[in-house]
Amino acid sequence: MVRHTATSVVTIERYIIEQESLHPAATGELSGILYDLALAAKMIASKVRRAGLADILGATESENVQGEIQQRLDLFANEIIIKAMDHSGRLCAMASEEEADIIPIPAQFKTGAYALLFDPLDGSSNIDVNVPVGTIFSVLKKVSAGAHCALSDMLQPGVKQVAAGYVIYGSSTMLVYSTGQGAHGFTLDPLLGEFLLSHPDIRIPEHGRYLSVNDAYEQHWAEPVRALMRRYRGLDGKREAMNVRYVGSMVADFHRNLLGGGIFAYPPNAKNPGGKLRLLYECNPLAFICEQAGGAAIDGTTRMLEVQPTELHQRTPIYVGSRGDVEIACEVLGQER
Ligand code: AFP
């Protein structure tokens, strides 16, 4: 981690511009998208910070497309991101975990060459109890012809992401992103109102200390998953036991494991045979970041970033984190099949 003096700070804007200058052919559009997202993140952070004070908590009466009860802050974060991004002329469309369909760019604005997919406030059922929540985003290059986005622009495998990242609203607000040249973290200085480079070129340890999984599903797991979890816990005598840490907010669990090493797993279970988490809004962006930090991610059999999406709100199992720990998942799940 770099230590900054008051005069040597690197703002996210400066960093994005410096990264862009490494690509002479860059148009600046992607940089603009990232900068707009950083602004949206600051706006969401300020609301999340005040959530305990403001009368904004609580479930709305509507259910979102995933059938979960939405919290008001989810809706607010969704709105903030759409409004921050729709008029820039850089996007051809957006897709949100909170919306059933593709979100078109309003007719009065220009469209651009990129598609943005996001989960506006992941872990929102934790808001009421002051547990960290996060925003996750993924940027894809438009591949269809014509000015507007087609479903095919959204349904690209994760390897096609040109940028991805997340924001964690925790004890401090951090934004971590990658454009394919490493994963870099920025911490929001609340006094300056700026994201400052705090974690350049994050590297996840080869093997980790932490296992993040919801044990309550053990009875609903298939035997290969149970065998894998026994391995991580050191119960089969083949490795040292990992420490179990599960917040129930994927960004928070992922972030801790990215910095400290470990694996986050959401295996299929009898209740969610296809997994629970969303391929496009959650798993692909975090898999991209993890690989950029030297880690790995699979869906149980396949590299996560190579899975071909077939629908916008597709769910998938996931095992993501330290490369050595993900390799163990490949080995044990493969053997037990
Ligand atoms: P919410 O956004 O509904 O709180 O769900 C959070 C989440 O999508 C992810 O952030 C967690 O890791 C996971 O679900 C927790 O799911 P379980 O409660 O089934 O373990």
Side-chain angles (χ1 to χ4, degrees):
M1 198 203 291
V2 287
R3 301 255 174 258
H4 296 298
T5 64
T7 53
S8 74
V9 292
V10 177
T11 63
I12 195 165
E13 185 179 16
R14 174 174 159 190
Y15 198 78
I16 289 170
I17 290 168
E18 283 174 3
Q19 293 260 308
E20 185 195 315
S21 68
L22 301 175
H23 300 272
T27 59
E29 280 190 48
L30 184 57
S31 299
I33 291 170
L34 293 170
Y35 196 65
D36 289 345
L37 280 166
L39 177 64
K42 282 192 253 181
M43 294 168 73
I44 297 170
S46 79
K47 284 290 175 190
V48 170
R49 288 273 162 271
R50 292 163 53 97
L53 302 170
D55 181 28
I56 199 169
L57 293 179
T60 60
E61 284 171 11
S62 65
E63 288 209 355
N64 72 2
V65 290
Q66 309 296 343
E68 296 151 355
I69 301 294
Q70 283 181 331
Q71 305 290 312
R72 284 183 199 168
L73 269 179
D74 280 25
L75 300 176
F76 184 80
N78 193 47
E79 197 73 15
I80 285 183
I81 295 175
I82 294 170
K83 291 272 155 55
M85 309 301 301
D86 67 359
H87 57 278
S88 68
R90 299 178 181 113
L91 298 179
C92 61
M94 291 176 262
S96 163
E97 196 213 319
E98 299 294 338
E99 311 253 351
D101 300 315
I102 290 178
I103 306 160
I105 300 300
Q108 68 268 35
F109 302 128
K110 286 187 180 155
T111 55
Y114 294 93
L116 173 70
L117 298 95
F118 59 92
D119 180 352
L121 212 59
D122 178 64
S124 53
S125 56
N126 284 321
I127 293 167
D128 286 344
V129 289
N130 212 353
V131 162
V133 289
T135 297
I136 311 175
F137 60 88
S138 164
V139 183
L140 293 161
K141 189 110 202 222
K142 178 172 160 45
V143 286
S144 67
H148 292 281
C149 257
L151 193 56
S152 56
D153 295 316
M154 303 287 178
L155 300 184
Q156 299 185 57
V159 279
K160 298 285 187 188
Q161 292 171 106
V162 291
Y166 63 88
V167 185
I168 176 166
Y169 310 101
S171 49
S172 56
T173 298
M174 258 192 85
L175 188 153
V176 176
Y177 85 89
S178 175
T179 51
Q181 289 142 330
H184 313 288
F186 301 79
T187 303
L188 182 63
D189 181 330
L191 296 179
L192 294 178
E194 286 282 3
F195 280 105
L196 306 179
L197 181 63
S198 54
H199 297 67
D201 202 14
I202 297 169
R203 303 307 294 167
I204 184 170
E206 183 64 20
H207 286 276
R209 284 180 285 166
Y210 302 119
L211 165 63
S212 303
V213 70
N214 187 344
D215 269 347
Y217 297 114
E218 183 164 7
Q219 56 181 315
H220 304 294
W221 287 334
E223 183 47 35
V225 175
R226 287 199 196 124
L228 176 63
M229 297 305 156
R230 282 198 296 275
R231 171 74 62 88
Y232 288 141
R233 287 157 186 279
L235 295 176
D236 65 2
K238 291 187 179 162
R239 67 162 289 162
E240 215 177 299
M242 298 173 87
N243 281 328
V244 177
R245 296 281 187 280
Y246 192 71
V247 171
S249 199
M250 188 188 190
V251 170
D253 282 312
F254 176 84
H255 183 70
R256 181 198 47 244
N257 296 354
L258 185 71
L259 299 185
I263 189 161
F264 173 93
Y266 204 109
N269 60 57
K271 289 183 170 175
N272 301 296
K276 174 189 177 189
L277 303 174
R278 294 78 180 171
L279 175 61
L280 295 177
Y281 310 112
E282 294 167 316
C283 298
N284 271 345
L286 296 187
F288 187 77
I289 293 282
C290 195
E291 284 200 2
Q292 287 294 317
I298 58 166
D299 69 355
T301 57
T302 307
R303 179 185 172 207
M304 185 61 65
L305 296 182
E306 287 175 8
V307 173
Q308 175 60 55
T310 53
E311 53 182 286
L312 217 44
H313 292 282
Q314 187 168 336
R315 295 173 191 264
T316 176
I318 184 168
Y319 306 80
V320 58
S322 292
R323 183 161 292 278
D325 298 319
V326 174
E327 277 165 9
I328 290 174
C330 291
E331 181 200 316
V332 177
L333 295 175
Q335 266 172 16
E336 297 282 333
R337 256 194 304 278

